[in-house]
Amino acid sequence: MAGTLDLDACAREPIHIPGSIQPHGHLLAVEAGSLRLVCASAEAGAVLNRPPADAFGLAVDQLIDTASMASLVRGLRAAPAEPVQLDILTLRNGTDYQAIAHRSGDLVILELEELPATGAGTLEALYPQMREGIRRMQAAHDFDTLLASTASEVRALTGFDRVLVYRFDEQWNGTVIAEDGNGRLPSYRGLRFPASDIPQQARRLYGLNRLRLIADARYQPVPLLSGRRDAPPLDLSFAVLRSVSPVHLEYMRNMGTPASMSISVMDGDRLWGLISCHHAEPRQASFAVRTACDLLGQVLSSQMIALERALDADHRIRSKGTQARLLAHMAAAERFIDGLGEDREDLLGLVNADGAAILFDGDCRLIGRTPPQEVVEAIAAELAGQGIKDLFASHQLPAEMPAAAGMERTASGLLAISISQLHPSYLLWFRPEIVQSIDWAGDPKKPLDAGGRLSPRSSFEAWKETVSGQSLPWRHGEIEAAGDFRNAIVSIVLRKAEEMAALNEELRRSNGELAAFSYSVSHDLRAPFRHVTSYAELLRSRAADKLNERERHYLDSIIEAASSAGRLVDGLLHFSQLGRATLARVEVDVGRLVEEVRHLLAPDLQGRNLRWTVHPLPSVNGDPTMLRLVVQNLLSNAIKYTRDSAEPEIEVGCRTTTDAHEFFVRDNGRGFDMAYAGKLFGVFQRLHREEEFEGIGIGLANVRRIVERHGGRVWAEGRLEHGATFHFSLPRSAAAESR
């Protein structure tokens, strides 16, 4: 090699306008209308019978001496955008050339390529062999058989020593996935070639022009000559004789393959891979053979698409069945995430995952092999931070997401879908690390030369690399199934939200009507009950000496019943007013409030030796009148239910969390059975007989209503005959919304 070639410059090389051709033919460029010669290869005098400089400006029928000129002219005028063989031209000197033409802008490019001594010169001659080859390829029912058959049929057509089927991955590295050879060249099956071996602009050209032949890698390029002053370089993107990069020629020589031919395999508009043919010595294939190979490449593309569609259809049918079962579980469950996590096998099998996590409405469910909950929640938070509102997939998550660092054993792969359009909620699937060995055709990190420049690889011996931190990639069908499932879940969530909104609206309307009714009824009943009590007491005071003992008992019962009913009506009226009154929020010192209520209740403690423990209590933002009622009800209950205790004790305290102050009132009194804890805060719910403990059963309902209007919640714990603890929480934020 005369000097070191700079591959960085090669990557920028405009290879579609090399300004030269390979020497096994001649190139002529003529004006599309007049067919006058404007450009020619330097050695084209062999077919023009004069130097190219003397031929510029003349029409093609004045330049080429052949009996087929009339058909040649017709073909040039109708030339398409891609090369076609117009004819086999026999010149007067007896030399046969394949006449190949295509249109390039306002020019028609005619290439006269020497007809090889061996091999069919027309597609008609190749048809029987092609027909059988296509039949065998179409009979293949799996990828391996199809690819092996393709390699075999191409080698049979071309006679090359080795034919490889080479597939690109997402990073444009290529792997040899099928091979057919005669043993003259080493096997490359299973080896991977780095993306740098075929630069980006070369791949783009492979996508445009599906076939390229290099008959002899040792050739000397033949320059192009132009008859136009200041003419732009001739675009040879579709030229069959186009010269190739010197770097690629040296690459071929280093590989030990003087001749090569490649056929592009397309997946739609994307370059899927190559059928690459190599020979241990220079070799030329006729244009008819190359066209037949191009047809086989297109058959391979269509068969691959058909097989992939069949596999996708089968996977889609199975995944739809799995989705249907999961959705049925979700629809039957009161909370859809309970149903989603019910069938572990289907949830994981939907996308072939080892673990899953469901994060919804503050809940996190882990299924199968997953990272710890705090890591799962951090991953979900990072997805939300990235604004992932539909789907996310990665097979090397620890390298892409800081939250997953160190989680290779459980979360090297992540497939995530957002399951709510309102809140950051996700369904996550995990895959573990799969440590794999990759056999490269030589070290993919090409060494620098002494000048710091890249040079073509000279070694293609297997070079093993171990890859870790990656899972099996998510297949297209699995990602599609996850996307379909997301749409179904979001539809369920939205439908549930709409149903809940409708129910809430109906509930608000009903509650409003009920509150108005209870207020009206209780207000209208107060006066009659007071009248009954007043008149009965007046009758008792004036006629007591005229009544016998039984009659006085009847009268006392009337007074007691009316008084009790009056208290009940007053309680109802108060309960109704609590739901309608506006909160007047200020800063409230709860410790001081407790002391004031204790002072107020002191008369109820006369003659009792009750021990108080009141811990330091914080200030909160709330309505002081309503919060006083909460404290009064809880302390009053504690005093009432400890009166039968030998050593009554009441403790008041608070536990502060990030979001709330959680107050408690604990006593060692009668207590209650936790089986009935759900009734405690309901209206008119009593767990003890009225004869044992007085009350109308509305105090704790008032407590719950007040606390919930402050944005908090209430709950209780207890054991029968072992006391009870009543809790209520209030938000730490002053902006807690009034409900």
Side-chain angles (χ1 to χ4, degrees), residues 366-410:
L366 303 182
I367 299 162
R369 292 181 59 196
T370 70
Q373 180 171 333
E374 60 272 16
V375 176
V376 170
E377 291 174 345
I379 290 172
E382 195 154 336
L383 290 173
Q386 293 178 16
I388 303 299
K389 296 185 181 298
D390 40 30
L391 187 145
F392 173 88
S394 171
H395 66 280
Q396 47 186 5
L397 187 67
E400 296 178 359
M401 187 175 288
M407 292 292 114
E408 287 81 3
R409 296 184 63 182
T410 55

Side-chain angles (χ1 to χ4, degrees), residues 36-57:
R36 296 181 183 278
L37 185 69
V38 297
C39 184
S41 56
E43 304 295 332
V47 295
L48 299 175
N49 296 319
R50 71 198 75 190
D54 297 337
F56 293 135

Side-chain angles (χ1 to χ4, degrees), residues 109-346:
I109 295 178
L110 171 64
E111 297 174 86
L112 300 176
E113 186 178 358
E114 295 174 7
L115 183 67
T118 58
T122 64
L123 281 174
E124 289 84 355
L126 290 170
Y127 177 72
Q129 185 178 356
M130 286 171 54
R131 181 185 59 196
E132 286 304 305
I134 291 173
R135 184 190 62 78
R136 283 188 287 268
M137 290 173 65
Q138 291 176 333
H141 295 295
D142 59 75
F143 281 105
D144 289 343
T145 304
L146 173 63
L147 296 172
S149 176
T150 300
S152 174
E153 299 302 331
V154 169
R155 200 172 81 80
L157 276 171
T158 63
F160 276 79
D161 291 331
R162 179 180 65 201
V163 174
L164 313 173
V165 180
Y166 181 95
R167 180 176 187 172
F168 294 113
D169 63 17
E170 293 178 355
Q171 289 76 41
W172 295 105
N173 300 308
T175 302
V176 178
I177 55 177
E179 180 180 274
D180 190 81
N182 57 15
R184 291 186 69 193
L185 294 173
S187 172
Y188 283 170
R189 181 177 175 83
L191 295 185
R192 183 176 296 192
F193 292 75
S196 56
D197 279 12
I198 304 179
Q200 189 270 340
Q201 89 277 25
R203 295 193 297 267
R204 184 171 58 250
L205 202 52
Y206 277 129
L208 290 173
N209 188 354
R210 295 189 301 271
L211 199 141
R212 186 205 62 191
L213 170 70
I214 301 174
D216 186 353
R218 298 165 297 187
Y219 76 84
Q220 292 297 317
V222 177
L224 296 180
L225 306 177
S226 177
R228 292 176 172 177
R229 184 175 298 177
D230 301 325
L234 190 61
D235 187 344
L236 299 183
S237 295
F238 291 95
V240 298
L241 293 171
R242 174 176 59 85
S243 188
V244 298
S245 168
V247 174
H248 184 74
L249 295 176
E250 181 168 349
Y251 182 92
M252 287 179 59
R253 293 193 290 270
N254 292 345
M255 188 184 272
T257 54
S260 77
M261 187 176 78
S262 59
I263 304 109
S264 301
V265 182
M266 307 298 293
D267 182 1
D269 293 333
R270 184 181 186 276
L271 181 63
W272 178 89
L274 299 173
I275 301 171
S276 189
C277 310
H278 300 132
H279 207 63
E281 56 196 27
R283 183 176 183 81
Q284 190 176 346
S286 70
F287 187 80
V289 167
R290 282 147 37 205
T291 302
C293 290
D294 180 36
L295 179 59
L296 293 185
Q298 294 183 58
V299 171
L300 172 61
S301 297
S302 63
Q303 285 298 104
M304 283 194 315
I305 291 172
L307 287 174
E308 285 181 350
R309 285 178 177 171
L311 289 175
D312 285 346
D314 180 62
H315 183 271
R316 193 176 293 112
I317 291 170
R318 287 186 284 107
S319 70
K320 289 295 183 185
T322 302
Q323 287 182 41
R325 291 191 296 273
L326 290 169
L327 293 172
H329 288 309
M330 292 167 61
E334 184 174 346
R335 297 179 71 236
F336 83 92
I337 60 169
D338 295 332
L340 181 57
E342 184 176 326
D343 193 334
R344 164 180 172 155
E345 183 176 343
D346 275 345

Side-chain angles (χ1 to χ4, degrees), residues 394-453:
S394 171
H395 66 280
Q396 47 186 5
L397 187 67
E400 296 178 359
M401 187 175 288
M407 292 292 114
E408 287 81 3
R409 296 184 63 182
T410 55
S412 283
L414 171 67
L415 180 55
I417 56 174
S418 171
I419 56 176
S420 173
Q421 293 183 338
L422 303 175
H423 308 288
S425 302
Y426 294 95
L427 172 55
L428 313 176
W429 286 283
F430 296 101
R431 278 180 177 172
E433 173 186 53
I434 299 294
V435 178
Q436 54 185 322
S437 295
I438 297 176
D439 293 323
W440 292 91
D443 187 346
K445 301 180 180 64
K446 295 180 180 179
L448 297 174
D449 68 6
R453 295 171 299 178

Side-chain angles (χ1 to χ4, degrees), residues 469-508:
Q470 298 183 9
S471 71
L472 289 175
W474 302 98
R475 295 177 56 190
H476 171 74
E478 294 163 347
I479 294 175
E480 184 180 59
D484 290 345
F485 193 45
R486 175 193 176 271
N487 294 335
I489 292 177
V490 169
S491 296
I492 290 177
V493 173
L494 289 177
R495 188 172 68 249
K496 291 279 190 184
E498 290 172 357
E499 291 172 356
M500 288 299 296
L503 287 173
N504 285 338
E505 183 59 33
E506 179 63 22
L507 186 60
R508 278 195 295 270

